[in-house]
Amino acid sequence: NGEVARLMVLHHNTLAPTPYVVPRKSYHEFHDDLFPETRGDVPGVDGEGWLLGNDGYRELVSLNPASKKKQSNGQSGEIEAPSAPVEEAPEPLEENEKHRQILSHLTEGQSLYRNIEGKLSHRDYHFHGLKNVQTVFSQESNGFQIGKHYGAHLMAGSGGRLGIIDLHNPGNNNTKQLELVNQGNPVVFQWDPYSADHVIAVGSDSSLVKLWKITDMDTTPALLATSRSTVLKLSCCSTTPV
């Protein structure tokens, strides 16, 4: 349908998806200018090599569903394992040029597309009944974070709570919202994009950092680890692929 981006807009008690679509006369065929080749899911270097300082580059893969289907139908017998990446191999010139063009557009505040339309999704796709959404928070806090499957937002009141939203189940969330209770008020929190599990790191104003694992909306979240930061005030939280 030409959707190239989606914003999740958090209101007082509602989360509203807002897709951005590049209009085209027809969406029956694949538009490679809207969905260019992107980095695949095969890592260019493993965790041990990354710790040793090695660099690797992931191969580009097509986003065309027809191409993936053709590859799937054409495979037979054993699948050849990807070759090991060459350490410190420079990117091809064409890739550097693509990156330069993208960065130039971002720094100039221009869109890569000539026309793009953002429109609030239908009410059926909204998440209603969110409880105690914190609408006022410190400048250091990110306030709201989206992961692959779940979203997390600050909750008003005591207890340093985070509300968890299942992004695959829109509708009334009055009875199916999880809460993470932290010691101190959460300042920064970040979903782990590298983990197959749904793990979120939460840093509070008491310098504690907690790792939580979300299994599903019917299971109590598991506290995986707790550590204390060496700095008095946390200002950012990030993850590594190791």
Side-chain angles (χ1 to χ4, degrees), residues 58-79:
R58 291 178 295 165
E59 293 185 0
L60 294 177
V61 296
S62 172
L63 297 179
N64 190 342
S67 175
K68 294 182 180 180
K69 184 177 180 180
K70 181 178 179 181
Q71 293 175 3
S72 176
N73 294 338
Q75 288 178 348
S76 61
E78 297 184 356
I79 300 176

Side-chain angles (χ1 to χ4, degrees), residues 183-185 187 202-210 226-234:
Q183 293 177 328
N185 296 317
V187 179
V202 184
S204 66
D205 57 5
S206 60
S207 298
L208 282 179
V209 179
K210 293 188 175 184
T226 301
S227 62
R228 184 171 294 277
S229 172
T230 57
V231 297
L232 296 178
K233 187 175 182 180
L234 296 171

Side-chain angles (χ1 to χ4, degrees), residues 138-193:
S138 65
Q139 185 177 0
E140 292 82 7
S141 176
N142 39 19
F144 178 52
Q145 282 286 301
I146 290 292
K148 294 180 180 178
H149 194 105
Y150 297 100
H153 66 86
L154 291 175
M155 299 187 70
S158 59
R161 298 173 300 161
L162 281 181
I164 304 299
I165 309 169
D166 186 351
L167 300 178
H168 289 197
N169 288 295
N172 193 340
N173 284 256
N174 228 347
T175 59
K176 52 184 176 181
Q177 188 174 4
L178 291 178
E179 296 182 10
L180 304 181
V181 180
N182 303 273
Q183 293 177 328
N185 296 317
V187 179
V188 291
F189 45 98
Q190 176 71 50
W191 293 98
D192 184 357

Side-chain angles (χ1 to χ4, degrees), residues 26-163:
S26 172
Y27 296 111
H28 293 293
E29 56 279 329
F30 181 76
H31 297 275
D32 55 3
D33 58 326
L34 300 186
F35 307 102
E37 291 185 338
T38 187
R39 300 290 183 185
D41 56 3
V42 178
V45 63
D46 58 17
E48 182 179 356
W50 185 80
L51 289 174
L52 294 175
N54 298 336
D55 291 327
Y57 300 94
R58 291 178 295 165
E59 293 185 0
L60 294 177
V61 296
S62 172
L63 297 179
N64 190 342
S67 175
K68 294 182 180 180
K69 184 177 180 180
K70 181 178 179 181
Q71 293 175 3
S72 176
N73 294 338
Q75 288 178 348
S76 61
E78 297 184 356
I79 300 176
E80 184 179 354
S83 58
V86 180
E87 296 181 5
E88 300 181 358
E91 291 188 84
L93 290 178
E94 56 270 18
E95 282 305 301
N96 287 329
E97 180 61 18
K98 289 180 182 179
H99 294 166
R100 187 194 65 77
Q101 292 178 0
I102 293 174
L103 287 174
S104 66
H105 280 289
L106 291 176
T107 55
E108 294 170 6
Q110 298 177 359
S111 172
L112 294 176
Y113 313 108
R114 178 173 298 179
N115 298 295
I116 187 169
E117 300 174 351
K119 186 178 181 180
L120 195 65
S121 61
H122 191 273
R123 183 178 174 83
D124 290 346
Y125 298 99
H126 293 188
F127 301 82
H128 308 283
L130 303 183
K131 297 181 292 185
N132 302 322
V133 175
Q134 178 67 278
T135 56
V136 180
F137 42 85
S138 65
Q139 185 177 0
E140 292 82 7
S141 176
N142 39 19
F144 178 52
Q145 282 286 301
I146 290 292
K148 294 180 180 178
H149 194 105
Y150 297 100
H153 66 86
L154 291 175
M155 299 187 70
S158 59
R161 298 173 300 161
L162 281 181

